[in-house]
Structures are given as C-alpha cells and as structure tokens.
Amino acid sequence: MPPGRKMVQNAGAKRVTLKFLAEYLGLSPTTVSVVLTNSPLSSTIAKPTKDRVWEAARKFGYRPNLFARYLHTKRTFSIAVLVPEIGDEFSAMLISGIEAKLSEAKFNYFVESHRFAPQQIEDSPDTLMDRQVEGMIFINTPLKKEMPVPVVAISDITNAPGVTRIVIDNYQVVLLGLQHLKELGHTRIAFFKGPEGNGDTEARWKATLHACGEMGISVKPELTASMGTYFDAGEMSMAERGYEAAKMLMGKSRDFTALLAFNDGSAIGAMRAIQDAGLTVPHDVSVVGIDDIQIAGFIAPRLTTVRQPLKTMGEMAASTLLHRIEGGEVAAESVVRPELVVRESTTPANL
C-alpha cells in the first residue's frame, strides 16, 4: 500500500498535526506552517504548492494548535474589543466589520462589555492585558492612560496617548441632515443633543450650531433636548431617552415641523412619542436619525437617516490595529464620510 494511502487511513485515529501534513505532502513543516498561517513568507511559495497544502488541510480537517503556535512565536494572535453594550445594533455592526478583517488575518478576538459602569471602565484595560492580548479596539469607551499594546478607537471619546482613532465627519453628518430638511421646507427644527460625555456629542453639537448658523436656521433652547449623560445609558436605552425627550419637547412647544435626532435609537423613540401624542410622522413632524442601524429600514415609517458606514469603520479599525501590531505606521486619525439615506420619515413641511 502506498505510504500516502496508509497515512490517510490512520489520520482519523488521532488529531491531524502539522507534522502529519508535512509528511503526507512531502514538504517541510516550516513550508506548511508558512502557508497555513498566511505568513508574509507565503508570498515566496509557488501557488500550486500552496493549493496542495490547503487542499490537504481541508481533506483531513486540520486545525492549528494555537498553544503550539504561541510557544513557537511567543504571540497570542488575539485582540480585545471593549464596548459599552454587546447587544446594541451600533456595536454589533462595528463588530461584524472587525470580525471579518481579523478572520482574514487568522487573529482571535473576544468582546467585553463595561455596561457604562465607571469602575469597570477604569479596570477593564488592565484586566484585558492579563489575557495577553496583542492589541485592543475601544468602541465609544473612554481611556485615561496609555496602554503597553496598540489601541484603536472608534469614537472621539478615547483620547489617551498612543490611541489611533476612526471617527465620522460630524460636520458632514449634521449638514446632510439639515440640508435635506431645509430642501423640504423645514425651518422650525427641534434638536436632540447627545449624552454628555459621549464620544460624538460635543463634536456633533458644535457642528450643528455651525451649520445652522450658515444656513440661517435657529437653534432655540425650548426646541432642544439633551440625552442625559454617557453613564445613564446603563439604566435607560437610547430609544427610551428619545421617547422622554420628545415628550418633554412637545410639552413645552409644538412649534416645530421636524426633528434632527442624535442617533437612530433616539429618533425611533421620538417617533413613538410623536405618534402617542396623536401626531403623525412625517406629515406633522419629519424625523431624521443618524447611524443607519439595521432596524432603521424596517420600522414604520422607515427612518430617514444619515448613514455611518459602521461595518466599514469596524474593518478599518481592525486593519489599522493589525498594521500597528506588525510595527507599521498609521495616521493618528482617520475621518469617515457619511451618506444621506432618504426613507419615509421625512416629507415636505406642512406650513
């Protein structure tokens, strides 16, 4: 019986090892390892050889021994993602992009939530370092001290030394929403200011005041509502805060025909409050959100929003972090441009 066939018959009896694959293919273990780990050296190996290696790995169901990989390289090939909440759609869409890029690079990752608890936010970075991660991605989470590993943040709020940031162009976000409303004839516009301490709140509010000044739109205190503080989010969802803020606005004045919300969550809560007050969206009040989370296109009415390319931003964060881990140079901040998505929650002003 040919040696290769005998090896095939015996392969199922125990874990398929790198050495087994190397012997089966007649290659060195180093060559097989370089191909399966997608090492930079793999570019020097002929494509037919790489194809043979991958075919054999699939045939025998080869799974890499991560502990052996660590012993050999002294690397864990793992990163941590720290988020306020794991279940919210904003974080989930970002994590989807992060996962796609890390998977391509054969990196493992785990997600930890701090639930807006100040002490946990303070302690989490050190706890994550105890797990031997090679880098971290912070989503809308503050960081006060410099870390010994590369950190990439998706948000303005993470501004410790050594942090690389992926941020949205908040001026363009606001400008797109306001231009859309003004083109529909809306000049009496209500506003939601984001939670105090949130990564985008101050930048977005400054952009709102600046854009409104340029466009001749008044920002009236009685038509402005705040979403509380960053740490309140652990007790009340953004939709609940939007609901309460819209009720408060309508209790003071109904002299507005449109609302520019801080994000989609607060916009969805506001639409429910407007409808509960006996008004309709968009004929009585047009509503614009920001983010374009998945549910925005499925609620009634479907939400007009300014899209942040969340999955793309997650991919950018992961790619940037991997580049930093390998010692590459990256820009301190990458600014992403938004896009207006017009749906059913806006219509010409009913003057």
Side-chain angles (χ1 to χ4, degrees):
M1 181 181 296
R5 183 170 299 175
K6 183 178 179 180
M7 292 173 69
V8 172
Q9 289 179 336
N10 293 338
K14 57 183 180 180
R15 180 187 178 97
V16 177
T17 65
L18 190 71
K19 182 179 178 182
F20 170 87
L21 286 181
E23 290 177 355
Y24 172 77
L25 293 165
L27 299 170
S28 72
T30 299
T31 298
V32 176
S33 175
V34 164
V35 173
L36 294 178
T37 59
N38 199 27
S39 160
L41 289 174
S42 65
S43 62
T44 66
I45 298 173
K47 185 177 185 302
T49 300
K50 289 194 281 190
D51 290 343
R52 286 178 58 220
V53 171
W54 284 112
E55 182 182 356
R58 287 190 294 269
K59 182 174 185 177
F60 298 120
Y62 172 75
R63 295 180 62 193
N65 186 326
L66 296 179
F67 182 65
R69 187 183 181 194
Y70 167 71
L71 291 177
H72 178 68
T73 63
K74 298 299 186 286
R75 296 182 59 183
T76 61
F77 298 93
S78 64
I79 72 154
V81 181
L82 186 60
V83 300
E85 296 179 284
I86 293 175
D88 73 283
E89 283 199 56
F90 180 86
S91 295
M93 292 175 72
L94 289 168
I95 291 171
S96 175
I98 293 169
E99 181 180 46
K101 282 298 178 183
L102 294 180
S103 177
E104 289 177 8
K106 304 295 190 294
F107 261 69
N108 306 296
Y109 77 101
F110 60 89
V111 181
E112 181 168 313
S113 167
H114 55 70
R115 299 289 302 171
F116 300 95
Q119 191 59 51
Q120 192 164 342
I121 293 172
E122 180 75 21
D123 296 341
S124 287
D126 292 329
T127 302
L128 297 175
M129 284 305 306
D130 291 341
R131 301 184 68 169
Q132 301 297 312
V133 297
E134 294 192 38
M136 302 179 189
I137 295 177
F138 280 49
I139 295 177
N140 198 24
T141 297
L143 177 65
K144 296 181 179 178
K145 57 188 175 184
E146 186 172 7
M147 300 304 296
V149 297
V151 177
V152 174
I154 305 175
S155 157
D156 292 8
I157 200 173
T158 313
N159 49 18
V163 172
T164 303
R165 299 192 299 179
I166 311 294
V167 298
I168 193 73
D169 185 335
N170 275 298
Y171 178 74
Q172 285 298 318
V173 166
V174 171
L175 191 63
L176 287 171
L178 287 174
Q179 284 178 337
H180 174 63
L181 290 174
K182 189 171 183 180
E183 287 170 1
L184 293 174
H186 296 281
T187 56
R188 303 194 311 276
I189 302 172
F191 298 91
F192 282 172
K193 184 179 180 181
E196 181 182 343
N198 182 284
D200 287 308
T201 293
E202 291 306 317
R204 194 166 295 170
W205 188 244
K206 287 179 182 178
T208 298
L209 297 177
H210 181 58
C212 284
E214 289 185 327
M215 299 171 69
I217 296 173
S218 298
V219 180
K220 299 180 178 180
E222 66 271 22
L223 296 182
T224 302
S226 172
M227 298 290 100
T229 72
Y230 175 83
F231 296 106
D232 291 339
E235 301 173 3
M236 183 180 289
S237 72
M238 192 59 72
E240 290 174 312
R241 285 194 267 182
Y243 184 90
E244 294 300 325
K247 282 179 58 179
M248 183 272 291
L249 285 179
M250 291 185 292
K252 292 193 299 183
S253 171
R254 293 202 178 182
D255 187 28
F256 59 95
T257 62
L259 166 68
L260 179 62
F262 174 69
N263 57 14
D264 288 349
S266 60
I268 290 168
M271 287 199 299
R272 182 72 266 170
I274 292 166
Q275 291 163 343
D276 285 353
L279 303 175
T280 62
V281 177
H283 298 292
D284 292 311
V285 182
S286 286
V287 177
V288 176
I290 295 170
D291 285 340
D292 197 25
I293 58 177
Q294 190 171 24
I295 196 174
F298 295 92
I299 58 173
R302 294 178 176 87
L303 180 64
T304 293
T305 186
V306 182
R307 174 183 292 156
Q308 293 197 64
L310 297 175
K311 185 173 181 181
T312 298
M313 292 171 72
E315 291 173 348
M316 290 174 62
S319 295
T320 301
L321 182 61
L322 291 171
H323 197 60
R324 286 193 59 188
I325 288 172
E326 297 301 327
E329 293 188 3
V330 299
E333 184 173 274
S334 297
V335 181
V336 181
R337 292 182 67 85
E339 173 189 359
L340 179 68
V341 181
V342 179
R343 296 195 179 102
E344 300 168 349
S345 67
T346 52
T347 197
N350 185 13
L351 300 177

